[in-house]
Amino acid sequence: MIRGKNHIISACILLISILTACQHSGYKINNSQGSFIKTDSLVGSDRLIEAIISPYRDSLKLEMGKVIGKAEYELSGGFPEGLLSNFVTDLVPVECERNGFQKPDICIVNVKGLRIPISKGDITVENIYQLMPFENEIVYLTMSKDQVLELFDFMASVGGDGMSGASFVINGARAVDIRVQNKRLENRNYIIATSDYLADGGDHFEVFQTAIERKSTGLKVRDAIIKHIKELTASGDMISSKLDKRIYYAQ
């Protein structure tokens, strides 16, 4: 019974968060079509839906409203790098290591997948569900030197994106002066942590589909963000980030 309750609460949180994120990002749900298969005369009844949701409304409100940290200032997205994407890509390797995985050389997230900024002040669970309303999992990709070059050239061509563990300069539509872990690219394989969405080629990251190897971690990006914020808060730290020229334009 407890398990069923948690599933319903999680589903409600996810649905509310997706709708809220769409609203914040300017997306609209319209022109939808579908069909129904009749399974019970009560399906579709507003009273039935209310009866299902009502017992969990208070629990949902309590869970969503929990304050898990405080932001020193607003963390927003941006190109070629942004405070929000820097924060997320910096925390992913830390949380992967804490869960027993090796530290990746590079972490990549797409700025477009971070749906809202983290506002200055209190951060709630609901805020993070709005930020990351998707069930994206962190995966590890093994890529060669040439594949990493192709990856960074693609990122340079679109004006940058979320990245940690590396740096490069955008010169035209190419990535130059590339560093990984403060070293020039070597003729070896590199481990890249990213989301399963990007690993599947989402947001035009087709280069990830050519990876030498792919491993699942079982860790959700959203869960890693929540856990990291809680850990920083427990240590007495406010949530912050910085721009450090990990990606920037040539002068």
Side-chain angles (χ1 to χ4, degrees):
M1 188 68 181
I2 296 298
R3 184 180 181 185
K5 175 181 176 181
N6 289 338
H7 283 331
I8 291 174
I9 292 174
S10 297
C12 290
I13 290 174
L14 185 59
L15 177 58
I16 292 170
S17 301
I18 290 173
L19 293 175
T20 305
C22 287
Q23 182 182 42
H24 278 276
S25 57
Y27 287 91
K28 295 181 180 179
I29 299 173
N30 54 23
N31 298 326
S32 59
Q33 296 181 347
S35 59
F36 293 91
I37 299 174
K38 187 175 181 180
T39 56
D40 189 281
S41 60
L42 291 177
V43 172
S45 165
D46 289 343
R47 283 181 297 178
L48 176 60
I49 294 173
E50 174 63 22
I52 293 172
I53 294 176
S54 182
Y56 308 115
R57 183 175 286 113
D58 290 343
S59 296
L60 175 61
K61 185 176 180 180
L62 181 63
E63 180 65 25
M64 292 286 278
K66 285 182 179 177
V67 175
I68 57 175
K70 180 170 289 190
E72 188 173 352
Y73 41 77
E74 179 178 283
L75 277 62
S76 58
F79 292 90
E81 64 171 319
L83 292 174
L84 182 58
S85 57
N86 285 3
F87 174 69
V88 174
T89 53
D90 284 345
L91 73 85
V92 166
V94 173
E95 294 307 318
C96 285
E97 279 195 285
R98 283 175 173 160
N99 280 271
F101 298 97
Q102 72 178 91
K103 181 181 179 180
D105 298 298
I106 304 164
C107 177
I108 302 292
V109 302
N110 58 325
V111 173
K112 295 176 183 177
L114 305 174
R115 310 305 285 183
I116 65 168
I118 293 178
S119 299
K120 179 180 178 179
D122 288 345
I123 303 169
T124 65
V125 172
E126 181 179 15
N127 295 149
I128 305 306
Y129 270 80
Q130 292 170 347
L131 165 69
M132 174 57 67
F134 315 111
E135 295 297 298
N136 293 146
E137 179 189 334
I138 300 168
V139 299
Y140 273 25
L141 302 177
T142 302
M143 303 186 73
S144 68
K145 173 185 176 181
D146 288 343
Q147 289 170 327
V148 172
L149 280 169
E150 184 180 351
L151 167 65
F152 288 162
D153 276 343
F154 164 70
M155 292 175 66
S157 73
V158 297
D161 220 323
M163 180 182 74
S164 69
S167 64
F168 63 81
V169 179
I170 301 175
N171 189 354
R174 301 291 301 275
V176 300
D177 196 18
I178 297 170
R179 298 285 192 280
V180 177
Q181 298 297 326
N182 296 316
K183 296 180 180 179
R184 291 189 179 275
L185 274 179
E186 301 170 344
N187 189 24
R188 67 175 179 88
N189 293 337
Y190 290 88
I191 303 299
I192 298 177
T194 190
S195 69
D196 54 356
Y197 170 72
L198 295 188
D200 289 337
D203 211 8
H204 305 292
F205 277 82
E206 284 90 356
V207 62
F208 281 151
Q209 294 181 292
T210 68
I212 298 168
E213 187 178 15
R214 171 174 170 162
K215 291 183 178 179
S216 298
T217 66
L219 303 174
K220 298 291 177 62
V221 178
R222 181 179 57 238
D223 293 345
I225 297 171
I226 291 174
K227 184 177 180 183
H228 194 74
I229 290 174
K230 288 181 176 179
E231 288 163 347
L232 288 174
T233 303
S235 299
D237 296 323
M238 295 185 72
I239 307 309
S240 63
S241 182
K242 64 180 179 178
L243 302 178
D244 51 17
K245 299 188 74 173
R246 58 188 68 182
I247 304 176
Y248 62 98
Y249 284 95
Q251 299 298 318

